[in-house]
């Protein structure tokens, strides 16, 4: 079984299409998406529709950006508990208003977290580990294996797949895997869409990072033309633009 892993697409259809082309080339059997499908980028509708076309082979969970749509925008950001600026709120609303009823319905029906079993291996899928009160645990960009074990100590599984931090982190101890492929749609100062391929065959687990090049400059040009709310900060924080 060959499984494509993606997370944190953030409305970047160009990056998603580039990864899907690679998944098609290597003929994945399933795709797992760890949330934050929308938000930040400029093509939320096209991004969700691309996932809908893959729904027969897709397992998707919601991230905090889907929760902003489904449950309403929080007064504070989830990680550092700072207040959201009015421009940030307008940006989320701008993104949400681009979604069709079909796309909103698709997101509404995604799982919050999901346990599956493939070839006898237990796989746990979530955007990021949560406390008993449903709040995300401490944000750790590059966790050690010990930190991964602590993050997921309440869950019994062989493979843990998550996202949220936008950084790639792969840990494996005694054939227990912790996989975060990093943000597919937020390239920082690269031209890379990040993903991964998990293979499970006869009880053996293998994982390979997938880095696909695409035209990030074209997206930056489009963002600069649109000038939507909070766009300068988005370019700086998520696209690595200095100006």
């Amino acid at each position: 079984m060959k499984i494509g892993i993606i997370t944190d697409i953030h409305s970047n259809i160009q990056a998603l299409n580039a990864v899907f082309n690679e998944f098609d080339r290597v003929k994945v059997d399933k795709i797992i998406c760890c949330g934050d499908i929308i938000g930040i980028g400029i093509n939320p509708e096209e991004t969700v529709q691309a996932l809908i076309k893959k729904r027969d082979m897709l397992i998707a969970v919601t991230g905090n950006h889907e929760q902003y749509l489904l449950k309403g925008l929080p007064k504070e950001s989830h990680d550092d508990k700072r207040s959201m600026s009015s421009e940030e709120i307008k940006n989320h609303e701008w993104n949400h208003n681009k979604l069709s009823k079909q796309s909103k319905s698709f997101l509404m029906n995604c799982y919050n977290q999901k346990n599956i079993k493939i070839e006898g291996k237990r796989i746990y899928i979530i955007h990021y580990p949560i406390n008993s009160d449903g709040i995300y645990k401490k944000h750790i960009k590059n966790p050690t294996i010990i930190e991964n074990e602590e993050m997921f100590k309440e869950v019994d599984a062989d493979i843990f797949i998550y996202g949220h931090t936008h950084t790639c982190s792969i840990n494996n101890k005694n054939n227990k895997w912790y996989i975060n492929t990093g943000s597919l749609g937020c390239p920082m100062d690269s031209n890379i869409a990040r993903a991964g391929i998990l293979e499970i065959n006869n009880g053996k687990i293998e994982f390979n990072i997938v880095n696909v090049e695409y035209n990030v400059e074209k997206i930056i040009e489009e963002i600069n033309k649109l000038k939507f709310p909070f766009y300068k900060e988005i370019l700086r924080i998520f696209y690595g633009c200095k100006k």
Side-chain angles (χ1 to χ4, degrees), residues 191-203:
N191 64 338
I192 296 298
R194 299 171 182 85
I197 294 178
L198 173 70
E199 293 193 57
I200 306 174
N201 294 302
N202 299 318

Side-chain angles (χ1 to χ4, degrees), residues 43-222:
N43 294 110
E45 175 64 11
E46 293 85 349
T47 298
V48 177
Q49 288 296 316
L51 291 178
I52 288 173
K53 289 178 181 177
K54 300 284 189 182
R55 70 192 320 164
D56 290 343
M57 64 190 308
L58 176 73
I59 299 170
V61 298
T62 57
N64 50 291
H65 279 259
E66 284 74 58
Q67 295 302 319
Y68 296 162
L69 169 70
L70 303 175
K71 295 185 177 180
L73 289 167
K75 293 181 180 179
E76 297 177 332
S77 68
H78 53 279
D79 285 315
D80 54 14
K81 304 304 179 187
R82 62 177 176 77
S83 297
M84 276 196 181
S85 70
S86 60
E87 282 295 293
E88 284 180 270
I89 292 170
K90 288 177 183 177
N91 174 264
H92 289 299
E93 292 171 343
W94 182 89
N95 216 274
H96 296 168
N97 288 336
K98 287 181 166 287
L99 293 168
S100 65
K101 289 183 179 179
Q102 183 191 32
S103 291
K104 289 178 181 178
S105 177
F106 171 82
L107 296 174
M108 189 178 299
N109 285 289
C110 287
Y111 305 101
N112 291 322
Q113 53 188 305
K114 182 70 174 174
N115 289 283
I116 63 173
K117 185 177 283 188
I118 294 177
E119 295 196 19
K121 295 299 182 181
R122 300 160 300 168
I123 303 174
Y124 178 64
I125 308 160
I126 195 167
H127 185 58
Y128 196 77
I130 55 177
N131 293 311
S132 58
D133 56 3
I135 303 299
Y136 289 131
K137 292 185 177 182
K138 181 182 177 182
H139 188 134
I140 305 175
K141 281 186 174 290
N142 295 293
T144 64
I145 187 68
I146 294 172
E147 287 171 326
N148 270 149
E149 290 172 339
E150 178 66 22
M151 288 160 63
F152 290 99
K153 65 181 180 181
E154 297 89 356
V155 182
D156 190 14
D158 302 299
I159 305 168
F160 302 83
I161 304 177
Y162 67 107
H164 187 52
T165 65
H166 291 198
T167 54
C168 180
S169 172
I170 314 298
N171 282 318
N172 172 26
K173 181 181 178 182
N174 299 326
N175 212 29
K176 183 165 287 197
W177 289 78
Y178 301 87
I179 298 171
N180 180 348
T181 57
S183 177
L184 182 151
C186 296
M188 289 308 297
D189 56 354
S190 75
N191 64 338
I192 296 298
R194 299 171 182 85
I197 294 178
L198 173 70
E199 293 193 57
I200 306 174
N201 294 302
N202 299 318
K204 183 179 180 181
I205 301 169
E206 292 186 5
F207 177 79
N208 289 292
I209 293 169
V210 173
N211 288 333
V212 185
E213 294 185 1
Y214 69 106
N215 190 350
V216 174
E217 286 301 320
K218 182 179 179 181
I219 301 171
I220 292 172
E221 288 175 9
E222 291 179 11

Side-chain angles (χ1 to χ4, degrees), residues 2-10 12-34 47 50-51 54 57-58 181-187 190-198 207-216 219:
K2 190 177 291 186
I3 307 160
I5 309 295
I6 57 176
T7 188
D8 296 87
I9 307 165
H10 284 301
N12 189 336
I13 187 60
Q14 292 91 339
L16 182 60
N17 283 338
V19 168
F20 276 176
N21 287 340
E22 178 63 13
F23 284 175
D24 289 343
R25 187 186 71 81
V26 301
K27 297 180 171 57
V28 301
D29 302 294
K30 287 187 179 295
I31 298 171
I32 290 174
C33 175
C34 292
T47 298
L51 291 178
K54 300 284 189 182
M57 64 190 308
L58 176 73
T181 57
S183 177
L184 182 151
C186 296
S190 75
N191 64 338
I192 296 298
R194 299 171 182 85
I197 294 178
L198 173 70
F207 177 79
N208 289 292
I209 293 169
V210 173
N211 288 333
V212 185
E213 294 185 1
Y214 69 106
N215 190 350
V216 174
I219 301 171

